[in-house]
Amino acid sequence: MTAYVVGSGPNGLAGAIVLARAGLDVTVLESHYRVGGALGSAELTEPGLVHDLGASFLPLAVRSPFFQSLDLEALGVRFRHAPVELAHPLDDGSAGVLHRDLGATAEGLGADGALWRNVLQPFVDRFDDLLEDTMRPMLRVPRHGPLTARFGVLAARSAVDFGRTFRTEQARALWSGIAAHATTDQAAAFSSAVGLMLATAGHATGWPVVEGGAQVLTDALVRKLRQLDGRIETGRTVTDVRDLPDAEVVLLDVAPSAAIGILHDGIPAKRRRAFSSYQHGPAAYKVDFAVDGGIPWRNEDCKRAGVVHLGGAADEVASTEASVVSGRSARKPFTLVGQQSLADPGRARGSLQPVWAYAHVPYGSVLEHEHRIVKQIERFAPGFRDRVVATHITSAMGLAAANSNFVGGDINTGANTFAQLIGRPTVGRNPYATGVTGVYLCSAATPPGPGVHGMSGVNAAEAAIRHL
């Protein structure tokens, strides 16, 4: 049986591997000449400095059911951790700090330590069980009902409401910054869902990077697919599914709007309406820096943290995110800074270190935000600007041009609204079906959504196999 996968992001490659394991003759078609979608790396600023092009810190990859099924070490993949997983500095010089060790994090949070531990410990202890349920479509009977129900009750709360249960500014800020990865209104119901999962993962697995760069993980997936006799053709743009007449299965690692274009009149009216009404969220604006001597943070924990969240106090983070969701650029945007070479020193060159940063900006923004990102870093690390040797900018629309799934610069491939957490991109037991026989959607626009875990591809491939 012949199968095609359109798009070579991690979900597309995961789906291809599952199909190949089932004995199908699989070909991956990629319009670009580099495989991997947002999972890649390159020397963007100075020779010898390795920058990740998109996804970099991979808390869901380590224990994803798909990646657990691979012998990643045999495929050349090694995960590396910074001394501190995450820090969120405040203007008074203090910081909320997340260590992989839950006890160390609780101790550092003082008066809020017991609450932080009590909320997360049950999910950390049974993280694999939690992933088994949450990495599948929502409308199904969970195998670990009480655990998943407990997670769901907390996830249903707004991030603002959840954060107010903490008493210290450090814990509130730490929580708000993690929740901000959803890039949604933190006052909305279910805006805690993404943050709760990422905080749990931070203690269960940490927020590691791939030694040598994210491209190493993509190359490992390609190697595995080829071991299963799968093929990859780059420079192949698919604009019409009818151009694949011998296909019994087609997986589309594309956004819903692109799926409409590929399926043309073959897509049923109901599914077309659902895909047409699919919402995209705010965008990202990315700047890569070459920094001599690293970033001169005021806070010592920030100097050891792989990830640093810049947004100030929790109320400021919530206000900033609400502005961006409503289409207004923030003067002090929430900014994520990656210091990957603290975990993986081979990415640096002498005292010159690669720094990866991106800010949340409105959907489709065409404005320049580099100066705002630099000012946010300077706010917590005076003198940073003087250490910058080179920069590489990828604007919101530049991200969209580099990856067609990032419509309007939305790196989550869809808004994390309540409706799209429940039904992404449609409500039903098989959200991967397009309504066209044998054709399935497998991008991050399907459950379980964004993140490098491969499970959208796995779930779509398994749906195809069940149909066959």
Side-chain angles (χ1 to χ4, degrees):
M1 290 186 174
T2 302
Y4 290 95
V5 178
V6 179
S8 68
N11 285 315
L13 292 173
I17 288 170
V18 171
L19 293 175
R21 279 174 167 171
L24 279 72
D25 182 20
V26 180
T27 302
V28 176
L29 305 176
E30 169 57 52
S31 61
H32 292 278
Y33 287 92
R34 186 190 67 80
V35 174
L39 189 66
S41 46
E43 297 179 0
L44 297 177
T45 56
E46 293 284 304
L49 295 191
V50 178
H51 297 267
D52 289 332
L53 302 178
S56 186
F57 296 89
L58 310 178
L60 298 179
V62 180
R63 298 266 280 277
S64 156
F66 168 65
F67 285 111
Q68 287 279 286
S69 74
L70 305 177
D71 187 348
L72 287 180
E73 189 162 345
L75 292 169
V77 178
R78 292 168 182 80
F79 293 105
R80 294 289 180 255
H81 296 264
V84 171
E85 301 295 330
L86 164 67
H88 186 126
L90 296 170
D91 290 304
D92 65 1
S94 67
V97 181
L98 186 143
H99 300 272
R100 197 170 7 154
D101 182 84
L102 182 54
T105 302
E107 182 178 350
L109 292 177
D112 285 315
L115 177 57
W116 188 274
R117 183 200 293 271
N118 290 341
V119 168
L120 295 177
Q121 188 80 63
F123 308 129
V124 173
D125 289 345
R126 297 182 59 191
F127 191 53
D128 290 331
D129 291 341
L130 182 66
L131 289 182
E132 185 178 5
D133 282 349
T134 57
M135 288 285 160
R136 303 291 182 176
M138 293 283 286
L139 297 181
R140 58 193 296 272
V141 178
R143 297 191 63 179
H144 310 284
L147 176 73
T148 303
R150 180 173 183 168
F151 184 88
V153 168
L154 295 174
R157 298 174 66 180
S158 77
V160 169
D161 178 56
F162 197 122
R164 286 173 179 161
T165 61
F166 299 112
R167 290 177 285 173
T168 66
E169 286 298 324
Q170 291 75 24
R172 289 178 178 175
L174 179 62
W175 163 252
S176 68
I178 298 171
H181 280 257
T183 327
T184 193
D185 183 353
Q186 296 202 344
F190 283 88
S191 55
S192 288
V194 171
L196 187 60
M197 177 58 74
L198 291 179
T200 300
H203 296 303
T205 69
W207 286 15
V209 299
V210 177
E211 184 178 74
Q215 188 67 43
V216 171
L217 182 53
T218 287
D219 293 344
L221 296 178
V222 170
R223 194 174 302 117
K224 181 63 178 180
L225 178 60
R226 287 178 172 155
Q227 288 174 2
L228 296 167
D229 296 324
R231 294 176 299 278
I232 298 176
E233 297 180 13
T234 58
R236 285 283 308 274
T237 300
V238 177
T239 59
D240 193 328
V241 72
R242 291 169 295 191
D243 293 337
L244 308 172
D246 59 332
E248 281 136 312
V249 170
V250 177
L251 301 188
L252 300 177
D253 186 5
V254 303
S257 56
I260 293 174
I262 292 172
L263 298 176
H264 297 285
D265 295 337
I267 186 170
K270 183 178 180 180
R271 195 68 73 171
R272 178 184 292 273
R273 286 193 299 270
F275 285 10
S276 297
S277 62
Y278 185 76
Q279 296 180 352
H280 284 275
Y285 187 103
K286 183 170 180 281
V287 183
D288 290 279
F289 300 94
V291 183
D292 192 8
I295 301 176
W297 301 107
R298 278 199 303 264
N299 180 274
E300 288 300 315
D301 285 310
C302 291
K303 295 177 181 178
R304 303 186 301 128
V307 179
V308 182
H309 288 161
L310 304 181
D315 289 345
E316 181 183 336
V317 173
S319 175
T320 297
E321 292 297 276
S323 294
V324 169
V325 169
S326 66
R328 302 190 307 272
S329 292
R331 187 169 58 87
K332 297 179 180 179
F334 180 75
T335 300
L336 298 93
V337 176
Q339 303 180 112
Q340 289 87 344
S341 60
L342 295 180
D344 182 13
R347 299 185 184 213
R349 191 191 70 198
S351 63
L352 205 57
Q353 296 183 20
V355 171
W356 165 105
Y358 74 84
H360 291 168
V361 302
Y363 172 85
S365 175
V366 295
L367 298 180
E368 184 273 317
H369 286 82
E370 180 189 5
H371 70 289
R372 297 183 182 186
I373 291 174
V374 171
K375 286 181 70 174
Q376 272 289 68
I377 299 176
E378 279 271 341
R379 174 182 171 186
F380 302 99
F384 165 73
R385 184 181 286 106
D386 296 333
R387 297 192 181 192
V388 175
V389 174
T391 61
H392 180 276
I393 296 171
T394 312
S395 67
M397 299 315 292
L399 287 167
N403 190 324
S404 58
N405 286 6
F406 294 166
V407 179
D410 169 18
I411 61 175
N412 287 325
T413 317
N416 284 307
T417 62
F418 166 68
Q420 291 190 174
L421 285 171
I422 299 299
R424 182 184 183 99
T426 60
V427 177
R429 293 183 60 83
N430 187 5
Y432 312 96
T434 65
V436 177
T437 301
V439 182
Y440 301 83
L441 195 65
C442 73
S443 67
T446 64
V452 178
H453 43 64
M455 290 304 297
S456 295
V458 170
N459 296 340
E462 290 179 347
I465 291 167
R466 284 194 299 272
H467 174 74
L468 289 176

